[in-house]
């Protein structure tokens, strides 16, 4: 019996939650759950885990665009049926993992995956994303679905991954490099804690839709949404209740637009990309770190964002050449000093990079220790 | 061929990385989805954004299903005449299984369901973890939800000012570092708090994430208001023979993670002993020793020598609170609050803690104030009092340097009520 719109609460099922994950385990995983002894990365993209019982599970990791069609998902299902007994999973960075119990099937699977291409020529299932390489870019909705972005997500990610593609399928970095993208500074995802982060920012204050703002918005919420208190109540010439933005105090975060549809701020030339580097969230050797802004603005350049791609590539190349084994990008920058980071990467240091939000003092240098 | 010209997006079919444009085009051509024009019009509106360099989605959108206050993100195109296929383009968050294992049978059932009710496009997965069905119309929402719950025994995820969809690393299912069953904890907390997930009752959003060790594969310390991170409190187990095998070169350091480049022969002193953040290890050429009392369990030595070093056997988790992105008061990572808690189903101690935190935040939190901001506004001390924890030096990186210390009146002999005239008897004006 299908849904009956004339009686919407009839037969309604709620609060059942997700499927139980154990229903989806390959038998080898179920049998050896919690009894794994060690793992090895056999080649880029291929892992083996060995259990106390001696059982092995092979994992073949492939890149995914995250935004994907059900046709592509069905193709994955076909592949998993052929080689993996019908089991696969997705990672926390939106790669896909094919889980193989039969060692003899690993090579045929890898060969098959590498042979599959879209009509346009790109790989459907590039193998890699393991060890000290550059794995998938955690990213957001961009112009494909969101109303507050300053940049696109999927397009920028595709352009950057094309340029870093060799690093996805190899492991020659000093440590893993996590690249993330958020299309506005709500930072959905991991941008504030990534080795390299691509962040959408605006540079113009919001416009006020004066005839509509009091009809569409709870004005106090928009006022409270401002981190720098740049918004105050006002009246339009026609006497309607409205808001006013003190442009001198606005740093274009866009949070008022999130709260109030009558305050749009995206702009063809005003909006673009900031690059942050040096964040991490593992506790390995050093504590987790926030990423820091090193390039305050790069314009939006669809469809391939060449300036952004070049900037990311340059940072990766200098880091890969200069950093020590196991050193994350932020560990390296802190060891050599940020002055040296800017020199080596040839990134100009501008006033925008000096913190001026509240307790910014702790980020200035209270020391005579510096490098010429 | 699609009906819109997309010269800029076509450029993104080039290059080796999987092209989302090629994939959407393949859905346009081969897809059996019910909303025939949606993928094509999505490319059309996206191309328009590439020309204008500004999004073409209208602000906000409030849609949903009866009984729930969230789970679906409404979205409307601001050029509906030109792109009618995405005039409505709502996304549906579907609660994923812990750590995203699937059978092909279930994956196909999801695809079939989405073919019947949407655009055929997805995000696998949203940053919080959900399966994201990308793009449908309002009239499909209730039938989709009905079919999903009745046929697939599958619920929506969270959105709004509520408990969002919890997520975990893959934990004990396929990792030798897992210190507790992060998947089971994630699943049980998700089910225990279905009410809080589906019906927004909080000052703002709240997220749980479960990492089974400090490597942080699900990034809980950065991306969840409550971060549960596995650890142990006894000794690292050392297999001295395997250590020698690493030193001798039979075993590859870090399981071979650096093998595409020649970093020279493995040097246990340079790569392990000298990189240990507390210098609590020593290697005398034949035996590795660890002063476990001084170890902070950063995972480095285990990560480098996974076949020689294993986590301890007295396991549990550290619990940290308050991570958030910059809006409003600045980005925060979670702060260590409970150094160690045993983590066994049904996780009663964890639930008790969660509920104390929520009781406080739901009462005291301002509109759209994340837990991390409330802790900053009301103080860590206040937070510890309401969750009934004693202060512990492990909770700080360093003690305060300013002397602006609050004392409770009852802590001070004689209290605060004093008579200036009594003072003047000894100290004339």
């Amino acid at each position: 019996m299908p849904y009956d719109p004339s009686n919407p609460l009839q037969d309604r099922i709620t609060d059942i939650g997700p499927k139980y994950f154990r229903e989806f385990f390959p038998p080898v995983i179920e049998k050896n759950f919690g009894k794994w002894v060690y793992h090895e990365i056999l080649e880029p993209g291929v892992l083996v885990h060995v259990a106390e019982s001696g059982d092995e599970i092979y994992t073949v990791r492939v890149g995914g665009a995250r935004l994907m069609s059900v046709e592509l998902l069905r193709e994955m299902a076909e592949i998993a049926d052929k080689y993996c007994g019908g089991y696969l999973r997705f990672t926390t960075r939106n790669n896909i993992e094919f889980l193989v119990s039969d060692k003899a099937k690993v090579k045929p699977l890898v060969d098959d995956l590498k042979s599959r291409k879209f009509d346009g020529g790109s790989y459907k299932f590039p193998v890699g994303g393991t060890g000290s390489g550059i794995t998938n870019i955690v990213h957001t909705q961009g112009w494909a679905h969101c109303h507050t972005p300053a940049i696109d997500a999927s397009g920028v990610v595709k352009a950057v991954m094309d340029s870093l593609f060799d690093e996805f399928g190899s492991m020659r970095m000093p440590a893993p490099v996590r690249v993330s993208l958020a299309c506005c500074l709500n930072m959905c995802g991991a941008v504030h804690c990534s080795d390299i982060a691509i962040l959408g920012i605006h540079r113009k204050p919001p416009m006020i839709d004066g005839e509509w703002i009091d009809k569409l918005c709870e004005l106090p919420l928009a006022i409270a949404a401002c981190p720098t208190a740049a918004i105050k109540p006002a009246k339009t010439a026609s006497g309607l209740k409205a808001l006013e933005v003190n442009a001198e105090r606005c740093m274009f975060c866009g949070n008022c637009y999130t709260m109030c549809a009558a305050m749009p701020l995206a702009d063809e030339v005003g909006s673009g990309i900031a690059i942050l580097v040096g964040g991490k969230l593992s506790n390995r050797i050093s504590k987790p770190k926030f990423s820091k802004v090193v390039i305050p603005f790069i314009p939006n350049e669809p469809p391939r964002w060449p300036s952004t791609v070049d900037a990311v590539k340059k940072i990766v190349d200098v880091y890969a050449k200069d950093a020590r084994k196991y050193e994350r990008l932020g560990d390296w920058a802190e060891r050599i000093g940020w002055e040296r980071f800017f020199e080596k990467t040839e990134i100009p240091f501008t006033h925008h990079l000096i913190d001026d939000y509240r307790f910014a003092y702790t980020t200035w240098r209270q020391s005579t220790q510096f490098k010429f | 061929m699609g009906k819109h010209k997309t010269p800029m997006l076509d450029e993104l079919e080039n290059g080796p990385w999987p092209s989302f444009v090629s994939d959407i085009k393949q859905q346009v051509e081969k897809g059996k989805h019910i909303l025939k024009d949606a993928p094509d019009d999505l490319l059309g509106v996206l191309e328009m954004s590439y020309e204008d360099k500004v999004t073409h989605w209208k602000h906000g959108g409030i849609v949903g299903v009866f009984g729930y206050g969230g789970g679906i993100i409404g979205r409307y195109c601001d050029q509906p005449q030109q792109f009618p296929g995405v005039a409505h383009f709502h996304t549906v968050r579907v609660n994923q299984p812990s750590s995203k294992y699937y059978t092909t049978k279930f994956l196909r059932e999801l695809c079939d369901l989405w073919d019947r009710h949407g655009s055929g496009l997805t995000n696998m997965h949203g940053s919080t973890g959900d399966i994201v069905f990308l793009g449908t119309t309002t009239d499909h929402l209730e039938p989709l939800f009905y079919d999903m719950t009745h046929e697939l025994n599958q619920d929506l995820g969270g959105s709004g000012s509520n408990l969002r969809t919890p997520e975990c690393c893959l934990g004990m299912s396929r990792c030798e570092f897992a210190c507790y069953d992060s998947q089971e904890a994630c699943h049980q907390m998700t089910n225990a708090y279905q009410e809080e997930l589906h019906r927004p009752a909080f000052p703002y959003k709240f997220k749980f994430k479960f990492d089974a060790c400090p490597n942080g594969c699900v990034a809980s310390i950065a991306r969840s208001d409550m971060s549960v991170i596995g650890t142990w409190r006894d000794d690292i187990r050392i297999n001295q023979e395997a250590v020698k095998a690493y030193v001798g070169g039979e075993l590859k350091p870090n399981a071979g993670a650096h093998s595409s480049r020649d970093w020279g022969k493995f040097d246990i002193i340079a790569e392990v002993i000298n990189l240990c953040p507390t210098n609590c290890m020593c290697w005398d050429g034949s035996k590795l020793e660890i002063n476990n009392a001084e170890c902070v369990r950063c995972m480095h030595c285990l990560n480098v020598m996974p076949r020689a070093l294993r986590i301890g056997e007295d396991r549990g988790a550290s619990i940290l609170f308050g991570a958030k992105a910059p809006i409003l008061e600045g980005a925060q990572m979670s702060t260590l609050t409970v150094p160690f808690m045993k983590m066994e189903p049904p996780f009663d101690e964890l639930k008790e803690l969660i509920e104390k935190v929520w009781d406080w935040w739901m009462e005291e939190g301002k509109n759209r104030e994340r837990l991390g901001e409330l802790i900053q506004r009301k103080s860590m001390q206040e937070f510890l009092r309401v969750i009934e924890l004693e202060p512990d030096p492990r909770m700080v990186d360093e003690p305060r340097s300013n002397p602006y210390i609050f004392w409770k009146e009852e802590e001070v002999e004689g209290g605060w009520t004093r008579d200036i005239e009594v003072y003047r008897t000894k100290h004339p004006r």
Side-chain angles (χ1 to χ4, degrees):
Chain A
M1 193 177 54
Y3 172 69
D4 175 8
S6 66
N7 196 358
L9 297 184
Q10 189 183 21
D11 297 330
R12 178 162 296 258
I13 297 174
T14 64
D15 301 279
I16 55 177
K19 302 284 275 189
Y20 190 46
F21 56 98
R22 290 219 181 200
E23 291 176 30
F24 301 137
F25 280 170
V28 179
I29 296 270
E30 180 60 43
K31 178 181 163 203
N32 297 288
F33 185 88
K35 294 175 186 154
W36 300 101
V37 186
Y38 69 90
H39 75 284
E40 225 177 292
I41 307 173
L42 301 173
E43 59 182 273
V46 183
L47 304 156
V48 60
H49 287 78
V50 182
E52 281 167 15
S53 63
D55 288 350
E56 296 177 334
I57 182 95
Y58 292 83
T59 300
V60 179
R61 185 176 295 168
V62 304
R66 193 181 84 107
L67 197 178
M68 49 184 62
S69 70
V70 296
E71 289 307 310
L72 191 69
L73 290 171
R74 289 193 174 103
E75 187 168 344
M76 288 174 206
E78 260 170 52
I79 296 169
D81 280 345
K82 187 166 173 195
Y83 300 97
C84 310
Y87 297 98
L88 75 166
R89 67 175 295 272
F90 294 78
T91 72
T92 56
R93 298 192 72 86
N94 307 311
N95 291 312
I96 302 109
E97 290 185 343
F98 292 96
L99 302 159
V100 193
S101 311
D102 178 356
K103 187 177 180 179
K105 288 190 174 167
V106 175
K107 184 156 189 318
L109 169 61
V110 170
D111 292 343
D112 185 348
L113 290 167
K114 287 182 175 173
S115 74
R116 290 175 191 251
K117 291 188 170 183
F118 286 109
D119 291 344
S122 64
Y123 288 97
K124 283 180 173 172
F125 307 111
V127 177
T130 54
S132 290
I134 302 183
T135 185
N136 211 341
I137 300 182
V138 168
H139 65 275
T140 55
Q141 297 295 38
W143 296 332
H145 197 259
C146 192
H147 58 146
T148 67
I151 61 174
D152 187 34
S154 299
V156 184
V157 165
K158 162 71 175 153
V160 172
M161 282 311 290
D162 278 342
S163 97
L164 297 175
F165 188 72
D166 289 346
E167 310 308 333
F168 182 81
S170 76
M171 308 187 288
R172 59 191 178 201
M173 293 287 136
V177 179
R178 306 295 190 218
V179 186
S180 305
L181 177 144
C183 45
C184 81
L185 42 61
N186 278 331
M187 292 194 182
C188 302
V191 154
H192 60 310
C193 295
S194 298
D195 295 277
I196 300 179
I198 300 165
L199 176 66
I201 60 154
H202 302 289
R203 295 184 304 162
K204 297 188 181 187
M207 297 166 278
I208 306 280
D209 207 344
E211 296 299 309
W212 287 90
I213 192 163
D214 191 37
K215 298 186 181 76
L216 296 175
C217 309
E218 286 282 354
L219 302 184
L221 293 185
I223 294 170
C226 183
T228 58
I231 304 175
K232 63 179 183 186
K235 286 237 160 101
T236 64
S238 56
L240 296 172
K241 271 204 278 184
L243 296 175
E244 184 179 301
V245 177
N246 178 349
E248 303 291 306
R249 291 181 79 152
C250 174
M251 44 63 181
F252 330 111
C253 72
N255 197 39
C256 53
Y257 181 57
T258 298
M259 298 308 294
C260 170
M263 301 181 76
L265 78 163
D267 187 85
E268 180 175 3
V269 295
S271 306
I273 283 170
I275 303 281
L276 294 80
V277 307
K280 69 189 272 272
L281 44 82
S282 89
N283 289 274
R284 186 175 185 172
I285 306 175
S286 60
K287 293 173 185 169
K289 301 178 201 288
F290 286 121
S291 352
K292 285 94 181 161
V293 184
V294 295
I295 302 178
F297 185 75
I298 302 174
N300 262 318
E301 300 169 320
R304 297 209 69 102
W305 282 268
S307 306
T308 300
V309 168
D310 288 349
V312 171
K313 189 78 169 61
K314 176 80 190 234
I315 293 166
V316 166
D317 288 346
V318 174
Y319 157 75
K321 190 160 160 274
D322 203 64
R324 296 173 181 166
K325 193 176 181 186
Y326 306 112
E327 211 166 44
R328 292 288 291 263
L329 203 152
D331 296 329
W332 164 68
E334 285 176 14
R335 176 174 59 81
I336 64 174
W338 286 99
E339 62 268 47
R340 202 58 92 220
F341 170 88
F342 284 97
E343 182 188 308
K344 284 176 188 277
T345 54
E346 298 172 328
I347 296 172
F349 187 85
T350 70
H351 72 88
H352 311 97
L353 306 179
I354 301 174
D355 196 357
D356 53 7
Y357 184 69
R358 302 196 181 178
F359 301 107
Y361 161 83
T362 54
T363 65
W364 310 333
R365 191 164 297 189
Q366 289 86 34
S367 165
T368 58
Q369 295 184 11
F370 63 87
K371 295 176 183 175
F372 286 104
Chain B
M1 279 303 289
K3 60 184 175 184
H4 303 291
K5 284 210 181 349
T6 55
M8 282 202 270
L9 288 173
D10 294 349
E11 283 289 321
L12 290 172
E13 293 200 81
N14 301 323
W17 185 251
S19 169
F20 70 99
V21 177
S22 298
D23 189 14
I24 296 173
K25 284 187 177 179
Q26 134 178 314
Q27 185 69 28
V28 171
E29 280 162 33
K30 294 196 282 188
K32 292 175 274 298
H33 53 280
I34 190 159
L35 301 176
K36 267 322 323 163
D37 294 332
D40 205 6
D41 279 346
L42 177 65
L43 289 175
V45 73
L46 195 54
E47 180 77 15
M48 182 182 262
S49 281
Y50 275 41
E51 287 162 12
D52 296 344
K53 302 183 191 177
V54 176
T55 189
H56 277 290
W57 300 103
K58 288 187 186 183
H59 184 276
I62 299 172
V63 292
V65 295
F66 282 114
Y68 287 0
I72 298 167
I73 316 302
R75 198 67 78 218
Y76 301 92
C77 181
D78 71 7
Q79 301 290 335
Q81 281 78 27
Q82 218 170 328
F83 307 108
V86 292
H88 297 220
F89 201 64
H90 314 320
T91 53
V92 181
R93 291 184 180 163
V94 180
N95 197 336
Q96 82 292 354
S98 282
S99 72
K100 302 165 184 157
Y101 282 85
Y102 295 97
T103 56
T104 52
K105 177 174 177 289
F106 184 63
L107 199 59
R108 286 196 180 94
E109 286 170 351
L110 284 170
C111 292
D112 294 344
L113 178 72
W114 190 225
D115 264 346
R116 279 190 278 136
H117 294 293
S119 69
L121 301 178
T122 74
N123 288 153
M124 298 295 277
H125 296 70
S127 297
T128 296
D130 297 284
I131 300 159
V132 174
F133 284 168
L134 187 65
T136 192
T137 54
T138 308
D139 56 329
H140 273 287
L141 296 175
E142 289 287 0
L144 167 71
F145 180 65
Y146 188 95
D147 291 353
M148 191 194 301
T149 49
H150 285 78
E151 294 167 15
L152 269 61
N153 188 29
Q154 167 68 55
D155 209 335
L156 294 178
S159 71
S161 289
N162 60 357
L163 173 65
R164 298 294 184 83
T165 306
E167 194 189 15
C168 57
C169 69
L170 57 61
M172 294 164 76
S173 72
R174 205 201 59 198
C175 183
E176 67 271 23
F177 298 143
C179 300
Y180 74 100
D181 189 348
S182 56
Q183 295 167 287
E184 188 67 33
C186 180
H187 187 79
Q188 290 211 19
M189 291 309 114
T190 307
N191 282 296
Y193 299 113
Q194 283 286 295
E195 167 79 16
E196 287 77 5
L197 193 152
H198 293 302
R199 296 167 197 90
F202 292 164
Y204 202 9
K205 66 178 97 170
F206 196 98
K207 300 186 182 188
F208 295 155
K209 279 188 166 54
F210 300 88
D211 277 308
C213 89
N215 281 328
C217 289
V218 78
S220 67
I221 201 166
R223 298 170 61 182
S224 57
D225 300 83
M226 185 182 81
S227 322
V228 181
I229 304 178
T231 193
W232 65 93
R233 55 183 174 183
D234 55 349
D235 292 352
I236 292 173
R237 290 172 290 166
I238 307 176
N239 176 339
Q240 297 291 352
E241 291 313 305
V243 176
K244 284 178 195 151
Y246 279 105
V247 174
E250 293 101 80
L251 296 177
K252 285 189 283 186
N254 220 120
H258 297 75
S259 55
S260 305
R261 175 161 158 189
D262 183 6
W263 291 91
K265 187 177 175 302
F266 176 62
D267 178 347
I268 191 172
I269 300 289
E271 295 186 37
V272 181
I273 308 296
N274 290 351
L275 291 183
C276 169
T278 62
N279 290 313
C280 71
M281 305 181 77
C282 81
W283 168 251
D284 65 3
S286 64
K287 190 163 182 254
L288 180 70
E289 283 183 81
I290 301 175
N291 180 358
N292 283 281
E294 299 306 309
C295 170
V296 291
R297 301 165 317 284
C298 83
M299 298 297 296
H300 176 66
C301 59
L302 288 89
N303 287 339
V304 176
M305 302 192 291
R307 293 180 74 161
L309 300 177
R310 300 185 67 189
I311 57 172
E313 292 182 291
D314 184 5
R315 299 169 199 160
S318 303
I319 302 173
L320 301 84
F321 286 96
K324 58 176 286 292
I327 298 290
L328 193 68
E329 307 275 344
Q332 293 185 34
M333 282 189 253
S334 284
T335 297
L336 182 64
T337 305
V338 179
F340 189 87
M341 183 186 280
K342 282 302 233 187
M343 289 291 288
E344 307 288 345
F347 308 102
D348 286 335
E349 199 183 346
L350 182 65
K351 286 183 199 161
E352 207 179 300
L353 176 65
I354 290 167
E355 287 162 29
K356 281 182 200 164
V357 171
W358 282 350
D359 281 347
W360 180 59
W361 175 58
M362 288 173 74
E363 190 71 30
E364 297 288 336
K366 294 199 286 191
N367 182 40
R368 276 172 58 87
E369 184 177 48
R370 293 287 285 267
L371 175 69
E373 289 168 340
L374 176 64
I375 297 173
Q376 286 227 39
R377 179 164 65 83
K378 301 289 276 191
S379 81
M380 182 74 178
Q381 288 89 326
E382 179 70 10
F383 181 52
L384 296 177
R385 272 193 292 276
V386 296
I387 60 173
E388 299 169 278
L389 279 188
E390 289 301 315
D392 184 311
R394 281 164 275 257
M395 296 168 182
V396 295
D397 259 353
E398 57 184 33
R400 69 193 305 155
S401 51
N402 68 65
Y404 302 161
I405 306 166
F406 291 96
W407 293 86
K408 296 267 173 211
E409 185 172 11
E410 59 270 23
E411 290 179 302
V412 185
E413 282 168 55
W416 291 345
T417 307
R418 291 183 290 164
D419 185 344
I420 185 69
E421 295 308 329
V422 175
Y423 178 82
R424 286 298 169 215
T425 61
K426 280 191 172 181
H427 307 284
R429 282 173 195 100

